[in-house]
Amino acid sequence: MAKFTGSLMGMGNPLLDISAEVGQDILDKYDVKMDNAILAEEQHVPIYKELVDNYSPQYIAGGATQNSIRVAQWIMNANGKPGESAYMGCVGTDAFGKQLEECAAADGVLAHYMKDETTPTGTCAVLVKGGERSLIANLAAANNFKPSHLETAESKAIYESARVYYIAGFFLTVSVDSLKIVAEHALANNKTFCLNLSAPFIIDFFGDQVATALEYADFLFCNESEAAAYGKKYGLGEDLKEVALKIAASPKKNEARPRTVIFTQGSGCTIVACEGKVVEYAVTPLPKEQLVDTNGAGDAFVGGFLAGLLAEKSVGDSVEAGHWAARFIIQQSGCSLTKACDLKL
């Protein structure tokens, strides 16, 4: 295999989304809320079979970080930058794992998966109702990523070549040690490390892991519910602009560059805080009849932003690229890149 010479690396939990339109009865049955993401517990295990048996679901390549990397590469493909991105995570040696690998390759992403022969590829039940979504992740093989995978020659070639790294908070439940290897490399070489808080449960139940990762973050992403959860847990108040400023000013390992904190708020303004200043960027609302589902919207925003960053665009222009990508994705089922990108950076 040719040595990777690209500029973007992601590491996370590769999951195959099993997506279906459901009624309130299913949400009540499994005690889940819309616009939320959780890890599957014992009570949720039957939902995967129920979706397959009764709902004719769509199978879509997923996993938050993988989605963002795919979107970033899709945009870079349209801007004369093929082969710029790679992604690592753990899958099983099964049909779902093969499907994920083929999907990544079709989008131009090098998927350098760790493969677990004893555990199936992870899945995510995506429950769609009225355009909103609720996610239930069964990590399975994705939970078995080990730092040893980063010691392989191909992994080293990937993270040594890359200059921007992105890891979603979901990975903090899997391997903080792996995150630290990549983050320490970024720190030692003054490269850009990006983190996402990903879900309220990450903030509420994995606080120590978040604190470890946050010190490395040059860019921190999250949505308004995650921002509110963080503000509540750490007593930063309810004003999200203030929360963003306080996170931006919190301790940071690489003092050579300031931290930029980015809060998306669906169709509300995106908040960007850096060096004591807050800027808000308006989102152009999408007519309700054009909304398919919001699954992958936040991931797509990050993908657009990262593509802008790699094209050396300003933070403001990168936010607009993120808005553009999110707007595209919410008109598809899940994070489906159904046509060539027409965004020029």
Side-chain angles (χ1 to χ4, degrees), residues 31-52:
D31 191 25
V32 293
K33 298 182 180 72
M34 297 312 293
D35 198 28
N36 198 15
I38 60 170
L39 292 178
E41 297 176 15
E42 202 169 324
Q43 75 198 65
H44 302 117
V45 170
I47 196 167
Y48 303 93
K49 186 173 189 305
E50 185 167 348
L51 291 178
V52 172

Side-chain angles (χ1 to χ4, degrees), residues 245-265:
L245 283 169
K246 287 171 181 170
I247 297 174
S250 66
K252 187 172 186 294
K253 287 186 178 284
N254 185 352
E255 295 178 352
R257 59 176 90 200
R259 179 181 295 123
T260 302
V261 174
I262 301 166
F263 293 168
T264 57
Q265 302 188 88

